[in-house]
Amino acid sequence: GYGEELILFKQDGFNNLTGIDPIPEYCQRLKKFYDIECYDKSLSEFAETISKEKKFDCIILNHAIEHFVEPDNALEIINNLITENGVLYIRTPDFYKSSKPFSQFCVHHTFYFSRTTLENLLKKCGFRVKRYFDNLISDEMVLLVEKGNNIEPIEYDRGECKRVFAYLKKNIDIDNERDLK
């Protein structure tokens, strides 16, 4: 995005900030107006570019994880980029909270997460959810995640698939009723 969080951190006195965005214009704006280092690369290109010794205390995925083609690979890259006591902040749409769930299914979103599916993915990639927040204003969820010392067991919820289909069916029925009116 436009680096809104980085701009806020900069205004609060933080200076060791780095942004990544594949759109060059967004990075140029951060550099020119806010003197924030920004790489116009993908996450994997960025990880290959920077020194192996460079680690980050905090990584922010603000409406980003749902765009990754392979979110598990992205999280493994992030796990290598984050310090041992580092924090990962994730903000993403919550599959179950959308008032128009089929509007979520768009080309630029490759994955749709519920709290359960996202927490399981994070565990699989060596992270532990420290805090989960429901965003009461919008249809998103926010998670504060820390790097785990070991991979935690994943508890699969066999009912999740049934809940997803029921949720979609319910909303198909609602959409069909609207079309009939």
Side-chain angles (χ1 to χ4, degrees):
Y2 291 107
E4 295 88 351
E5 287 82 7
L6 293 176
I7 295 166
L8 290 172
F9 280 122
K10 182 78 172 190
Q11 290 172 345
D12 281 345
F14 291 88
N15 291 310
N16 190 10
L17 303 168
T18 304
I20 307 168
D21 198 288
I23 300 172
E25 293 80 20
Y26 292 176
C27 282
Q28 291 166 2
R29 180 177 172 265
L30 279 177
K31 290 175 188 175
K32 180 178 180 180
F33 295 113
Y34 302 99
D35 193 30
I36 295 174
E37 182 179 24
C38 189
Y39 295 81
D40 57 345
K41 300 180 179 301
S42 68
L43 178 62
S44 58
E45 291 170 330
F46 171 76
E48 290 171 8
T49 301
I50 65 164
S51 146
K52 297 287 183 206
E53 290 79 41
K54 189 165 186 175
K55 300 283 183 181
F56 298 88
D57 296 319
C58 178
I59 294 179
I60 299 169
L61 295 178
N62 186 10
H63 286 273
I65 196 165
E66 67 272 15
H67 297 276
F68 291 129
V69 175
E70 296 177 315
D72 52 339
N73 289 344
L75 288 171
E76 288 175 17
I77 291 169
I78 289 168
N79 199 327
N80 290 325
L81 290 173
I82 202 165
T83 61
E84 286 305 314
N85 296 316
V87 174
L88 173 60
Y89 171 92
I90 299 174
R91 198 166 134 202
T92 188
D94 185 327
F95 176 76
Y96 289 121
K97 288 187 183 169
S98 177
S99 59
K100 297 178 182 175
F102 293 104
S103 67
Q104 293 182 54
F105 295 103
C106 54
V107 175
H108 63 276
H109 284 185
T110 55
F111 281 87
Y112 305 90
F113 297 100
S114 68
R115 178 179 179 174
T116 302
T117 59
L118 184 54
E119 285 185 5
N120 280 338
L121 176 63
L122 289 162
K123 283 180 185 179
K124 175 186 168 206
C125 296
F127 290 100
R128 186 177 58 198
V129 176
K130 189 171 178 126
R131 240 3 246 279
Y132 172 87
F133 303 91
D134 278 319
N135 189 330
L136 302 175
I137 299 169
S138 68
D139 64 347
E140 59 192 16
M141 59 182 149
V142 178
L143 292 90
L144 277 179
V145 181
E146 61 188 0
K147 194 170 183 174
N149 293 333
N150 52 20
I151 296 174
E152 294 184 29
I154 297 171
E155 295 178 24
Y156 288 102
D157 181 352
R158 296 192 183 274
E160 182 72 4
C161 185
K162 289 179 184 175
R163 283 191 294 279
V164 167
F165 286 126
Y167 179 74
L168 291 173
K169 182 180 180 332
K170 176 184 88 171
N171 285 285
I172 287 173
D173 293 342
I174 290 170
D175 284 347
N176 286 339
E177 285 177 28
R178 283 187 206 137
D179 290 343
L180 293 173
K181 290 181 180 180

